[in-house]
Amino acid sequence: MYQRNPFNHKISVDFANRLSNLQPQQKVRVIVLLHIDKGKNCGVRQSPAERKAAIESVRNSARLALEYILNIIKDFGGQPLTENPGPLGQIPIEICAAGVNALAESDMVKAVLEEDQTIVSSDGTES
């Protein structure tokens, strides 16, 4: 049965349906994509010093976004699976389904993806 996805594009419809079938305290592993400041000169050729400054700006932006959502993660009994966000502003988290929904409501979260999912290639083989 089709269910409306209340979080629009932050969680896929299939993932939202799977979340609705979980027990209240059952944990899932997700990858949270944080909203980050990409800087002013994206797409423009940069000097090494400008690139270094841009990378540091992205890291700082991701750390701030993570600090903002840490209370949500703790409130729902979750935990980050790494200390720092990755270079694209992603962080793996283990949390219950209600926590996933709360994260999706946050302005600091761009998207929530299932971590443990089967990937099907165009030729139909699974990995």
Side-chain angles (χ1 to χ4, degrees):
M1 181 166 136
Y2 176 77
Q3 291 185 348
R4 187 176 76 77
N5 182 355
F7 306 109
N8 299 326
H9 60 280
K10 289 188 178 184
I11 300 176
S12 73
V13 172
D14 290 338
F15 185 32
N17 287 336
R18 281 191 287 282
L19 288 173
S20 68
N21 292 324
L22 296 178
Q23 297 297 318
Q25 295 306 314
Q26 188 174 350
K27 303 277 180 147
V28 294
R29 289 182 177 201
V30 297
I31 297 173
V32 176
L33 302 178
L34 302 168
H35 271 290
I36 55 174
D37 178 24
K38 295 179 183 147
K40 300 174 187 172
N41 295 328
C42 270
V44 176
R45 184 151 179 96
Q46 298 175 328
S47 70
E50 289 171 326
R51 280 194 301 273
K52 186 175 180 180
I55 290 168
E56 192 58 34
S57 174
V58 167
R59 285 184 180 146
N60 288 335
S61 179
R63 280 189 210 112
L64 290 173
L66 177 59
E67 286 177 23
Y68 185 85
I69 66 166
L70 276 177
N71 287 334
I72 297 170
I73 295 167
K74 290 177 185 175
D75 287 348
F76 287 92
Q79 64 181 17
L81 299 176
T82 62
E83 287 186 29
N84 296 309
L88 302 175
Q90 80 279 8
I91 185 149
I93 295 172
E94 186 175 75
I95 196 164
C96 65
V100 172
N101 293 332
L103 287 169
E105 291 176 2
S106 173
D107 291 337
M108 287 294 163
V109 172
K110 189 184 306 183
V112 182
L113 310 171
E114 282 180 278
E115 184 178 279
D116 304 324
Q117 60 183 320
T118 301
I119 299 172
V120 180
S121 68
S122 60
D123 65 2
T125 59
E126 292 184 5
S127 60

